[in-house]
C-alpha cells in the first residue's frame, strides 16, 4: 500500500488530514524521523487498523445475512 492510498483510506475528513500534516511537519522538523520513515509508519498503522476492523465488518455482514 502506498502512502497516498493509506491516507485516502484513513482520512475521513479535512481535520484529520490537517492533523496528520501538522504532526508530520513538526516531527520531521524536530528530527524525530524522516519523511520516508513517517510514511512507512503511517502505512503500517493503516494496514493494522484495517486488519483490526475486518472481523467487526465480517460479523456485521454475517449477522445481516442471517436476519434477512
Amino acid at each position: 500500500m502506498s502512502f497516498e492510498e493509506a491516507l485516502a483510506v484513513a482520512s475521513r475528513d479535512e481535520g484529520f488530514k490537517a492533523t496528520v500534516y501538522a504532526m508530520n511537519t513538526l516531527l520531521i522538523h524536530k528530527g524525530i524521523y524522516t519523511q520516508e520513515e513517517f510514511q512507512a509508519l503511517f502505512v503500517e498503522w493503516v494496514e493494522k487498523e484495517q486488519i483490526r476492523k475486518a472481523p467487526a465488518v465480517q460479523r456485521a455482514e454475517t449477522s445481516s445475512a442471517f436476519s434477512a
Side-chain angles (χ1 to χ4, degrees):
M1 173 183 300
S2 71
F3 176 72
E4 290 77 17
E5 291 169 330
L7 190 56
V9 168
S11 61
R12 291 177 181 81
D13 61 35
E14 292 300 314
F16 177 80
K17 287 194 255 185
T19 301
V20 169
Y21 176 79
M23 291 303 298
N24 179 29
T25 302
L26 175 66
L27 294 172
I28 289 171
H29 179 72
K30 294 283 186 181
I32 304 299
Y33 48 62
T34 65
Q35 179 73 32
E36 292 77 22
E37 290 170 320
F38 169 78
Q39 290 180 358
L41 290 169
F42 187 78
V43 168
E44 181 181 322
W45 175 78
V46 169
E47 289 173 341
K48 285 180 181 178
E49 284 297 299
Q50 286 184 312
I51 291 168
R52 185 180 68 80
K53 291 178 181 178
V57 170
Q58 290 172 349
R59 284 193 304 271
E61 290 173 353
T62 303
S63 65
S64 66
F66 287 123
S67 64

